[in-house]
Amino acid sequence: MKYTELREQALEANLEIVRAGLVVLTFGNASALDRDAGIMAIKPSGVPYDDLSPETMVLIDLETGNTVEGDLRPSSDTPTHLVLYRRFSTIGGVVHTHSPFATAWAQACQPIPCLGTTHADHFYGSVPVSRKLTADEIAGEYEANTGVAIVETHLGLGLDPLQVPAELVWSHGPFTWGPDAATAAENAVALEAVAASTLRACQINPSISSVQPELLDKHFLRKHGANAYYGQVA
Amino acid sequence: MKYTELREQALEANLEIVRAGLVVLTFGNASALDRDAGIMAIKPSGVPYDDLSPETMVLIDLETGNTVEGDLRPSSDTPTHLVLYRRFSTIGGVVHTHSPFATAWAQACQPIPCLGTTHADHFYGSVPVSRKLTADEIAGEYEANTGVAIVETHLGLGLDPLQVPAELVWSHGPFTWGPDAATAAENAVALEAVAASTLRACQINPSISSVQPELLDKHFLRKHGANAYYGQVA
Amino acid sequence: MKYTELREQALEANLEIVRAGLVVLTFGNASALDRDAGIMAIKPSGVPYDDLSPETMVLIDLETGNTVEGDLRPSSDTPTHLVLYRRFSTIGGVVHTHSPFATAWAQACQPIPCLGTTHADHFYGSVPVSRKLTADEIAGEYEANTGVAIVETHLGLGLDPLQVPAELVWSHGPFTWGPDAATAAENAVALEAVAASTLRACQINPSISSVQPELLDKHFLRKHGANAYYGQVA
Amino acid sequence: MKYTELREQALEANLEIVRAGLVVLTFGNASALDRDAGIMAIKPSGVPYDDLSPETMVLIDLETGNTVEGDLRPSSDTPTHLVLYRRFSTIGGVVHTHSPFATAWAQACQPIPCLGTTHADHFYGSVPVSRKLTADEIAGEYEANTGVAIVETHLGLGLDPLQVPAELVWSHGPFTWGPDAATAAENAVALEAVAASTLRACQINPSISSVQPELLDKHFLRKHGANAYYGQVA
């Protein structure tokens, strides 16, 4: 079995989103990319999380979308993952969930404003909602078009994918990503925490608006910029 | 002991709704039907979940409603289950809970609109509220009449029971069903997730309305239609 | 050690409210009464739940309020429990918690209306809020006066303590009771579920009002009346 | 290894806030002070909670802020902790979390009013929000200035740090403290419970206002005053 580490990264991200309470039933999937090899490992479709192992991860060719190894069908969201990897050249992991609060924002078709430092630690500004798909896009290559809408929305807003590593799909749920699958999963956890506290903050103070820009800069850049000083030295 | 598998299916569905956090105290019951034999297995009334076993499931004759095997009284909601099985000829499992969010919608006497794909994956449109029972219906065969109200409401709206496998009973709580007990329990879990996210989506955006019909069709039919492609090949 | 069974009943009720998630820190206490002996067993004050055992329960004389057995101070709410036992002659167990949703209603100083069958299964109508204490009552025998306010409010509304076995103390939290400590704890669990679903139902439909009286009667009386038919035959 | 007990106190407070569900990812830190020695033990920065041990706690000189023992970087919030210890001479433990409900109040920039006895048992009046930092304060010694804003806000309101052992940092999250690290952690747990029930109480009754002052006095002073009678005799 090749790509053992890649399979394990994909498996671990799939298990992490379950442990973190982000997944109900089988509403969730995570993938990991080996960009040099052009191979993605992703969860099989509709398989209970308890039955997952490195061996059940499906290997997909990034360019062709064909299955390279694996007897199971890959996640039905596979084409969305592939589009994200092809168009966002700096990312190495993608996670999709229907986590309770982030899904509520997605299905309310509202971006999550940045109200504080929890958000600023992970997302450099509002988390946007992707544009609505057309009837033709839904009837056609629906899952791939979901990825196209994410990319177009993100780039249309001038966002760097690693600075805002999340988007809410219109009437659907959140996608997050990162330089690797573990970070994509961490961003899914952070997004859910932010989605919950932001809803509650808006209920406490309906006139609250975005955090002061200096605080957004400070928190994002102390963790992610060239001068980051959070955590241990790598 | 006959009907071992049927008893186990009923037991497992009863345990699943507890594991999923849908049941408080003894507010919940699940049943499984062997339609060929005309026998239903259902939870006994008011017995703690920890004390349930296949042997404690009560076997009921579908036609007469009489107990066929079992020393314990069946769930007090047994007549509701029987009416659903008799009138919805395609179903093989029924679940009733007082899960936190679905019960809130039921006791608010409001249908759950379909705001997104989580909902569309399981329910082909709004989940309706059954009509209010009359004083006579409550004073009479109350539990059977609850089933009658569910069926009349569902059929009155022109709904296929397997396309909208759930209804909220007015001032009460949710019933779900499916081709078998495991699917009925899965639908109870999905309904609770949808009830929670839909309440929150309405709080985030009070003017949100139903998902675009193309997206409803796409998600329901990719899992349930003749051309379904979600999950593994059977 | 005398009153072994009474101590165990009190301990079990104290542990049950923790298992059910109704207690944060040490905000909760339960007691059991042996009415024939005139002895109450109650949790010691401020002791972590993990350190409780039958031996740590404190035995109190119902009439004098004096400690009969036990080296630890009884719960600071002991005088409230004693007043309830003295004035409500049919009860044998009392539970006090600061459970999340019931406490919200108590501190909002609002009764919990009966919106549905979950409520009607346990409480025969709205769960009232006790009257506000006067400054003198707070400065004086505060805990005993809390019990007096509960009793006066309950009886002033013409309520039978076993038909509405709960009251919300103004700006404080819920007290529940029952014929024994286990039922008092069960009522605390049911009250919390009802408090949560009723808040959400009011958010879903702000114009919702109380359940139809026939349904209230049906559900309360099928479990509690002379013709009850819920559960197993005793 | 010196300061074994101090390290263990700091570790235990860090673990307690995780067990209590107050911490998502690594959003939380706790410290303990040995005031006689002038040494603070604090969590290392960005280390997963599962990897913490007494040895990984970092020892910091209270006066200079330099690391005395430890190979890991201390929490990035270390300067905030130091300012609190220097300016609040009666405290011996500090905890910072992004707990779900307290963070919502902090990011709504609203103080938590005292609506009831849960709050009054721990905090002698509203829990304030610290003043907004200036752009210069954020660009400069940000973490130390966060501590300065907490102290200035608290003292500006005339609050005794041990009577209101918590403050919400504007657009950020809660800090709590106490005479020792265990009490600081307990206050973090109590604050989260209060933050949740107070939000819900305001939703139930938007016109609710602060608890009557006599009840605030009674509850705070029966646990904390010279005549306290809650809990066991020390």
Side-chain angles (χ1 to χ4, degrees), chain C residues 62-90:
Chain C
L62 176 61
E63 196 173 334
T64 65
N66 294 332
T67 297
V68 174
E69 277 186 33
D71 297 330
L72 296 168
R73 284 189 193 182
S75 165
S76 58
D77 293 319
T78 293
T80 317
H81 289 242
L82 290 172
V83 169
L84 295 180
Y85 286 124
R86 289 175 192 149
R87 299 288 298 276
F88 292 161
S89 62
T90 53

PDB file of all heavy atoms in Angstrom, chain C residues 62-90:
ATOM      1  N   LEU C  62     -36.702  16.434  61.370  1.00  0.00           N
ATOM      2  CA  LEU C  62     -37.649  17.250  60.604  1.00  0.00           C
ATOM      3  C   LEU C  62     -38.256  18.356  61.463  1.00  0.00           C
ATOM      4  O   LEU C  62     -38.441  19.492  61.005  1.00  0.00           O
ATOM      5  CB  LEU C  62     -38.773  16.356  60.044  1.00  0.00           C
ATOM      6  CG  LEU C  62     -39.900  17.078  59.295  1.00  0.00           C
ATOM      7  CD1 LEU C  62     -39.373  17.817  58.075  1.00  0.00           C
ATOM      8  CD2 LEU C  62     -40.979  16.077  58.862  1.00  0.00           C
ATOM      9  N   GLU C  63     -38.541  18.058  62.707  1.00  0.00           N
ATOM     10  CA  GLU C  63     -39.250  19.023  63.539  1.00  0.00           C
ATOM     11  C   GLU C  63     -38.319  20.120  64.063  1.00  0.00           C
ATOM     12  O   GLU C  63     -38.621  21.312  63.948  1.00  0.00           O
ATOM     13  CB  GLU C  63     -39.901  18.280  64.714  1.00  0.00           C
ATOM     14  CG  GLU C  63     -40.959  19.101  65.426  1.00  0.00           C
ATOM     15  CD  GLU C  63     -41.694  18.271  66.473  1.00  0.00           C
ATOM     16  OE1 GLU C  63     -41.754  17.016  66.325  1.00  0.00           O
ATOM     17  OE2 GLU C  63     -42.176  18.850  67.441  1.00  0.00           O
ATOM     18  N   THR C  64     -37.172  19.718  64.587  1.00  0.00           N
ATOM     19  CA  THR C  64     -36.287  20.701  65.223  1.00  0.00           C
ATOM     20  C   THR C  64     -35.274  21.303  64.263  1.00  0.00           C
ATOM     21  O   THR C  64     -34.738  22.383  64.507  1.00  0.00           O
ATOM     22  CB  THR C  64     -35.483  20.043  66.357  1.00  0.00           C
ATOM     23  OG1 THR C  64     -34.599  19.056  65.781  1.00  0.00           O
ATOM     24  CG2 THR C  64     -36.407  19.359  67.359  1.00  0.00           C
ATOM     25  N   GLY C  65     -34.978  20.586  63.160  1.00  0.00           N
ATOM     26  CA  GLY C  65     -33.948  21.068  62.246  1.00  0.00           C
ATOM     27  C   GLY C  65     -32.538  20.769  62.733  1.00  0.00           C
ATOM     28  O   GLY C  65     -31.558  21.176  62.103  1.00  0.00           O
ATOM     29  N   ASN C  66     -32.423  20.064  63.842  1.00  0.00           N
ATOM     30  CA  ASN C  66     -31.095  19.741  64.371  1.00  0.00           C
ATOM     31  C   ASN C  66     -30.479  18.551  63.641  1.00  0.00           C
ATOM     32  O   ASN C  66     -31.192  17.654  63.167  1.00  0.00           O
ATOM     33  CB  ASN C  66     -31.189  19.397  65.860  1.00  0.00           C
ATOM     34  CG  ASN C  66     -31.595  20.605  66.676  1.00  0.00           C
ATOM     35  OD1 ASN C  66     -31.320  21.753  66.290  1.00  0.00           O
ATOM     36  ND2 ASN C  66     -32.275  20.352  67.787  1.00  0.00           N
ATOM     37  N   THR C  67     -29.142  18.529  63.604  1.00  0.00           N
ATOM     38  CA  THR C  67     -28.438  17.394  63.034  1.00  0.00           C
ATOM     39  C   THR C  67     -28.506  16.217  64.006  1.00  0.00           C
ATOM     40  O   THR C  67     -28.195  16.364  65.187  1.00  0.00           O
ATOM     41  CB  THR C  67     -26.969  17.756  62.758  1.00  0.00           C
ATOM     42  OG1 THR C  67     -26.943  18.793  61.779  1.00  0.00           O
ATOM     43  CG2 THR C  67     -26.190  16.551  62.239  1.00  0.00           C
ATOM     44  N   VAL C  68     -28.933  15.070  63.473  1.00  0.00           N
ATOM     45  CA  VAL C  68     -29.075  13.866  64.293  1.00  0.00           C
ATOM     46  C   VAL C  68     -27.823  12.993  64.172  1.00  0.00           C
ATOM     47  O   VAL C  68     -27.355  12.421  65.142  1.00  0.00           O
ATOM     48  CB  VAL C  68     -30.329  13.088  63.843  1.00  0.00           C
ATOM     49  CG1 VAL C  68     -30.428  11.761  64.563  1.00  0.00           C
ATOM     50  CG2 VAL C  68     -31.581  13.929  64.045  1.00  0.00           C
ATOM     51  N   GLU C  69     -27.310  12.902  62.957  1.00  0.00           N
ATOM     52  CA  GLU C  69     -26.078  12.143  62.711  1.00  0.00           C
ATOM     53  C   GLU C  69     -25.294  12.846  61.609  1.00  0.00           C
ATOM     54  O   GLU C  69     -25.888  13.287  60.617  1.00  0.00           O
ATOM     55  CB  GLU C  69     -26.393  10.737  62.195  1.00  0.00           C
ATOM     56  CG  GLU C  69     -26.730   9.702  63.249  1.00  0.00           C
ATOM     57  CD  GLU C  69     -26.880   8.313  62.623  1.00  0.00           C
ATOM     58  OE1 GLU C  69     -26.162   8.025  61.630  1.00  0.00           O
ATOM     59  OE2 GLU C  69     -27.713   7.552  63.122  1.00  0.00           O
ATOM     60  N   GLY C  70     -23.983  12.877  61.760  1.00  0.00           N
ATOM     61  CA  GLY C  70     -23.158  13.461  60.696  1.00  0.00           C
ATOM     62  C   GLY C  70     -22.251  14.536  61.250  1.00  0.00           C
ATOM     63  O   GLY C  70     -22.667  15.367  62.041  1.00  0.00           O
ATOM     64  N   ASP C  71     -20.979  14.517  60.784  1.00  0.00           N
ATOM     65  CA  ASP C  71     -20.000  15.485  61.273  1.00  0.00           C
ATOM     66  C   ASP C  71     -19.945  16.723  60.383  1.00  0.00           C
ATOM     67  O   ASP C  71     -19.364  17.733  60.757  1.00  0.00           O
ATOM     68  CB  ASP C  71     -18.607  14.845  61.279  1.00  0.00           C
ATOM     69  CG  ASP C  71     -18.556  13.665  62.230  1.00  0.00           C
ATOM     70  OD1 ASP C  71     -19.294  13.696  63.224  1.00  0.00           O
ATOM     71  OD2 ASP C  71     -17.772  12.727  61.956  1.00  0.00           O
ATOM     72  N   LEU C  72     -20.514  16.627  59.173  1.00  0.00           N
ATOM     73  CA  LEU C  72     -20.407  17.726  58.226  1.00  0.00           C
ATOM     74  C   LEU C  72     -21.608  18.653  58.375  1.00  0.00           C
ATOM     75  O   LEU C  72     -22.693  18.227  58.795  1.00  0.00           O
ATOM     76  CB  LEU C  72     -20.356  17.165  56.802  1.00  0.00           C
ATOM     77  CG  LEU C  72     -19.131  16.294  56.500  1.00  0.00           C
ATOM     78  CD1 LEU C  72     -19.318  15.557  55.174  1.00  0.00           C
ATOM     79  CD2 LEU C  72     -17.874  17.157  56.437  1.00  0.00           C
ATOM     80  N   ARG C  73     -21.420  19.915  57.984  1.00  0.00           N
ATOM     81  CA  ARG C  73     -22.552  20.831  57.919  1.00  0.00           C
ATOM     82  C   ARG C  73     -23.497  20.385  56.808  1.00  0.00           C
ATOM     83  O   ARG C  73     -23.042  20.042  55.717  1.00  0.00           O
ATOM     84  CB  ARG C  73     -22.082  22.231  57.547  1.00  0.00           C
ATOM     85  CG  ARG C  73     -21.416  23.014  58.632  1.00  0.00           C
ATOM     86  CD  ARG C  73     -21.236  24.448  58.104  1.00  0.00           C
ATOM     87  NE  ARG C  73     -20.330  25.216  58.947  1.00  0.00           N
ATOM     88  CZ  ARG C  73     -20.031  26.495  58.727  1.00  0.00           C
ATOM     89  NH1 ARG C  73     -20.570  27.114  57.675  1.00  0.00           N
ATOM     90  NH2 ARG C  73     -19.211  27.150  59.508  1.00  0.00           N
ATOM     91  N   PRO C  74     -24.769  20.444  57.039  1.00  0.00           N
ATOM     92  CA  PRO C  74     -25.696  20.116  55.953  1.00  0.00           C
ATOM     93  C   PRO C  74     -25.715  21.252  54.929  1.00  0.00           C
ATOM     94  O   PRO C  74     -25.255  22.368  55.209  1.00  0.00           O
ATOM     95  CB  PRO C  74     -27.043  20.004  56.670  1.00  0.00           C
ATOM     96  CG  PRO C  74     -26.917  20.928  57.846  1.00  0.00           C
ATOM     97  CD  PRO C  74     -25.470  20.825  58.281  1.00  0.00           C
ATOM     98  N   SER C  75     -26.257  20.963  53.760  1.00  0.00           N
ATOM     99  CA  SER C  75     -26.426  21.976  52.721  1.00  0.00           C
ATOM    100  C   SER C  75     -26.975  23.267  53.312  1.00  0.00           C
ATOM    101  O   SER C  75     -27.849  23.240  54.182  1.00  0.00           O
ATOM    102  CB  SER C  75     -27.407  21.456  51.673  1.00  0.00           C
ATOM    103  OG  SER C  75     -27.852  22.511  50.848  1.00  0.00           O
ATOM    104  N   SER C  76     -26.460  24.389  52.820  1.00  0.00           N
ATOM    105  CA  SER C  76     -26.961  25.670  53.328  1.00  0.00           C
ATOM    106  C   SER C  76     -28.444  25.851  53.000  1.00  0.00           C
ATOM    107  O   SER C  76     -29.106  26.690  53.599  1.00  0.00           O
ATOM    108  CB  SER C  76     -26.136  26.819  52.754  1.00  0.00           C
ATOM    109  OG  SER C  76     -26.182  26.784  51.349  1.00  0.00           O
ATOM    110  N   ASP C  77     -28.973  25.082  52.058  1.00  0.00           N
ATOM    111  CA  ASP C  77     -30.395  25.182  51.716  1.00  0.00           C
ATOM    112  C   ASP C  77     -31.270  24.266  52.569  1.00  0.00           C
ATOM    113  O   ASP C  77     -32.472  24.128  52.299  1.00  0.00           O
ATOM    114  CB  ASP C  77     -30.592  24.844  50.231  1.00  0.00           C
ATOM    115  CG  ASP C  77     -29.956  25.895  49.321  1.00  0.00           C
ATOM    116  OD1 ASP C  77     -30.075  27.096  49.622  1.00  0.00           O
ATOM    117  OD2 ASP C  77     -29.355  25.517  48.308  1.00  0.00           O
ATOM    118  N   THR C  78     -30.685  23.655  53.585  1.00  0.00           N
ATOM    119  CA  THR C  78     -31.441  22.742  54.445  1.00  0.00           C
ATOM    120  C   THR C  78     -32.752  23.342  54.969  1.00  0.00           C
ATOM    121  O   THR C  78     -33.806  22.686  54.918  1.00  0.00           O
ATOM    122  CB  THR C  78     -30.542  22.268  55.609  1.00  0.00           C
ATOM    123  OG1 THR C  78     -29.501  21.457  55.056  1.00  0.00           O
ATOM    124  CG2 THR C  78     -31.329  21.455  56.628  1.00  0.00           C
ATOM    125  N   PRO C  79     -32.744  24.590  55.452  1.00  0.00           N
ATOM    126  CA  PRO C  79     -34.018  25.125  55.963  1.00  0.00           C
ATOM    127  C   PRO C  79     -35.115  25.204  54.889  1.00  0.00           C
ATOM    128  O   PRO C  79     -36.304  25.070  55.210  1.00  0.00           O
ATOM    129  CB  PRO C  79     -33.639  26.522  56.464  1.00  0.00           C
ATOM    130  CG  PRO C  79     -32.169  26.428  56.774  1.00  0.00           C
ATOM    131  CD  PRO C  79     -31.624  25.501  55.719  1.00  0.00           C
ATOM    132  N   THR C  80     -34.730  25.403  53.628  1.00  0.00           N
ATOM    133  CA  THR C  80     -35.737  25.417  52.560  1.00  0.00           C
ATOM    134  C   THR C  80     -36.362  24.032  52.426  1.00  0.00           C
ATOM    135  O   THR C  80     -37.596  23.899  52.336  1.00  0.00           O
ATOM    136  CB  THR C  80     -35.085  25.813  51.216  1.00  0.00           C
ATOM    137  OG1 THR C  80     -34.194  26.907  51.418  1.00  0.00           O
ATOM    138  CG2 THR C  80     -36.150  26.184  50.195  1.00  0.00           C
ATOM    139  N   HIS C  81     -35.509  23.013  52.406  1.00  0.00           N
ATOM    140  CA  HIS C  81     -36.023  21.644  52.304  1.00  0.00           C
ATOM    141  C   HIS C  81     -36.981  21.350  53.459  1.00  0.00           C
ATOM    142  O   HIS C  81     -38.065  20.782  53.259  1.00  0.00           O
ATOM    143  CB  HIS C  81     -34.864  20.628  52.335  1.00  0.00           C
ATOM    144  CG  HIS C  81     -34.009  20.615  51.106  1.00  0.00           C
ATOM    145  ND1 HIS C  81     -33.875  19.511  50.291  1.00  0.00           N
ATOM    146  CD2 HIS C  81     -33.235  21.578  50.543  1.00  0.00           C
ATOM    147  CE1 HIS C  81     -33.038  19.785  49.291  1.00  0.00           C
ATOM    148  NE2 HIS C  81     -32.633  21.036  49.425  1.00  0.00           N
ATOM    149  N   LEU C  82     -36.593  21.737  54.668  1.00  0.00           N
ATOM    150  CA  LEU C  82     -37.423  21.421  55.841  1.00  0.00           C
ATOM    151  C   LEU C  82     -38.799  22.071  55.740  1.00  0.00           C
ATOM    152  O   LEU C  82     -39.819  21.439  56.048  1.00  0.00           O
ATOM    153  CB  LEU C  82     -36.711  21.870  57.121  1.00  0.00           C
ATOM    154  CG  LEU C  82     -35.467  21.038  57.487  1.00  0.00           C
ATOM    155  CD1 LEU C  82     -34.726  21.684  58.649  1.00  0.00           C
ATOM    156  CD2 LEU C  82     -35.872  19.596  57.848  1.00  0.00           C
ATOM    157  N   VAL C  83     -38.834  23.322  55.312  1.00  0.00           N
ATOM    158  CA  VAL C  83     -40.137  23.995  55.182  1.00  0.00           C
ATOM    159  C   VAL C  83     -41.015  23.261  54.178  1.00  0.00           C
ATOM    160  O   VAL C  83     -42.212  23.059  54.405  1.00  0.00           O
ATOM    161  CB  VAL C  83     -39.940  25.471  54.782  1.00  0.00           C
ATOM    162  CG1 VAL C  83     -41.276  26.099  54.370  1.00  0.00           C
ATOM    163  CG2 VAL C  83     -39.310  26.253  55.922  1.00  0.00           C
ATOM    164  N   LEU C  84     -40.407  22.844  53.060  1.00  0.00           N
ATOM    165  CA  LEU C  84     -41.212  22.139  52.047  1.00  0.00           C
ATOM    166  C   LEU C  84     -41.777  20.838  52.614  1.00  0.00           C
ATOM    167  O   LEU C  84     -42.957  20.520  52.412  1.00  0.00           O
ATOM    168  CB  LEU C  84     -40.370  21.861  50.797  1.00  0.00           C
ATOM    169  CG  LEU C  84     -39.913  23.110  50.027  1.00  0.00           C
ATOM    170  CD1 LEU C  84     -39.075  22.707  48.809  1.00  0.00           C
ATOM    171  CD2 LEU C  84     -41.114  23.940  49.571  1.00  0.00           C
ATOM    172  N   TYR C  85     -40.956  20.076  53.321  1.00  0.00           N
ATOM    173  CA  TYR C  85     -41.443  18.810  53.893  1.00  0.00           C
ATOM    174  C   TYR C  85     -42.526  19.050  54.951  1.00  0.00           C
ATOM    175  O   TYR C  85     -43.477  18.279  55.065  1.00  0.00           O
ATOM    176  CB  TYR C  85     -40.296  18.028  54.533  1.00  0.00           C
ATOM    177  CG  TYR C  85     -39.354  17.367  53.542  1.00  0.00           C
ATOM    178  CD1 TYR C  85     -37.992  17.623  53.560  1.00  0.00           C
ATOM    179  CD2 TYR C  85     -39.835  16.461  52.594  1.00  0.00           C
ATOM    180  CE1 TYR C  85     -37.126  17.010  52.675  1.00  0.00           C
ATOM    181  CE2 TYR C  85     -38.974  15.849  51.707  1.00  0.00           C
ATOM    182  CZ  TYR C  85     -37.619  16.122  51.741  1.00  0.00           C
ATOM    183  OH  TYR C  85     -36.772  15.508  50.857  1.00  0.00           O
ATOM    184  N   ARG C  86     -42.359  20.113  55.723  1.00  0.00           N
ATOM    185  CA  ARG C  86     -43.355  20.362  56.785  1.00  0.00           C
ATOM    186  C   ARG C  86     -44.694  20.797  56.218  1.00  0.00           C
ATOM    187  O   ARG C  86     -45.748  20.438  56.727  1.00  0.00           O
ATOM    188  CB  ARG C  86     -42.822  21.442  57.742  1.00  0.00           C
ATOM    189  CG  ARG C  86     -41.674  20.969  58.621  1.00  0.00           C
ATOM    190  CD  ARG C  86     -41.125  22.132  59.438  1.00  0.00           C
ATOM    191  NE  ARG C  86     -39.864  21.774  60.079  1.00  0.00           N
ATOM    192  CZ  ARG C  86     -38.878  22.637  60.333  1.00  0.00           C
ATOM    193  NH1 ARG C  86     -39.006  23.917  60.000  1.00  0.00           N
ATOM    194  NH2 ARG C  86     -37.790  22.211  60.927  1.00  0.00           N
ATOM    195  N   ARG C  87     -44.650  21.595  55.161  1.00  0.00           N
ATOM    196  CA  ARG C  87     -45.898  22.170  54.655  1.00  0.00           C
ATOM    197  C   ARG C  87     -46.537  21.337  53.551  1.00  0.00           C
ATOM    198  O   ARG C  87     -47.746  21.437  53.332  1.00  0.00           O
ATOM    199  CB  ARG C  87     -45.626  23.594  54.135  1.00  0.00           C
ATOM    200  CG  ARG C  87     -45.112  24.559  55.209  1.00  0.00           C
ATOM    201  CD  ARG C  87     -46.193  24.948  56.198  1.00  0.00           C
ATOM    202  NE  ARG C  87     -47.291  25.643  55.540  1.00  0.00           N
ATOM    203  CZ  ARG C  87     -47.303  26.954  55.265  1.00  0.00           C
ATOM    204  NH1 ARG C  87     -46.273  27.720  55.630  1.00  0.00           N
ATOM    205  NH2 ARG C  87     -48.327  27.498  54.663  1.00  0.00           N
ATOM    206  N   PHE C  88     -45.748  20.567  52.836  1.00  0.00           N
ATOM    207  CA  PHE C  88     -46.289  19.700  51.784  1.00  0.00           C
ATOM    208  C   PHE C  88     -46.255  18.270  52.339  1.00  0.00           C
ATOM    209  O   PHE C  88     -45.242  17.568  52.211  1.00  0.00           O
ATOM    210  CB  PHE C  88     -45.459  19.793  50.505  1.00  0.00           C
ATOM    211  CG  PHE C  88     -45.526  21.119  49.782  1.00  0.00           C
ATOM    212  CD1 PHE C  88     -44.538  21.477  48.855  1.00  0.00           C
ATOM    213  CD2 PHE C  88     -46.584  22.011  49.968  1.00  0.00           C
ATOM    214  CE1 PHE C  88     -44.590  22.674  48.160  1.00  0.00           C
ATOM    215  CE2 PHE C  88     -46.645  23.232  49.269  1.00  0.00           C
ATOM    216  CZ  PHE C  88     -45.643  23.553  48.366  1.00  0.00           C
ATOM    217  N   SER C  89     -47.355  17.839  52.919  1.00  0.00           N
ATOM    218  CA  SER C  89     -47.324  16.604  53.709  1.00  0.00           C
ATOM    219  C   SER C  89     -47.250  15.344  52.860  1.00  0.00           C
ATOM    220  O   SER C  89     -47.029  14.258  53.393  1.00  0.00           O
ATOM    221  CB  SER C  89     -48.567  16.538  54.598  1.00  0.00           C
ATOM    222  OG  SER C  89     -49.731  16.504  53.776  1.00  0.00           O
ATOM    223  N   THR C  90     -47.398  15.470  51.535  1.00  0.00           N
ATOM    224  CA  THR C  90     -47.398  14.273  50.691  1.00  0.00           C
ATOM    225  C   THR C  90     -46.047  13.997  50.043  1.00  0.00           C
ATOM    226  O   THR C  90     -45.903  13.001  49.317  1.00  0.00           O
ATOM    227  CB  THR C  90     -48.442  14.419  49.565  1.00  0.00           C
ATOM    228  OG1 THR C  90     -48.193  15.652  48.876  1.00  0.00           O
ATOM    229  CG2 THR C  90     -49.851  14.425  50.125  1.00  0.00           C
TER     230      THR C  90
END
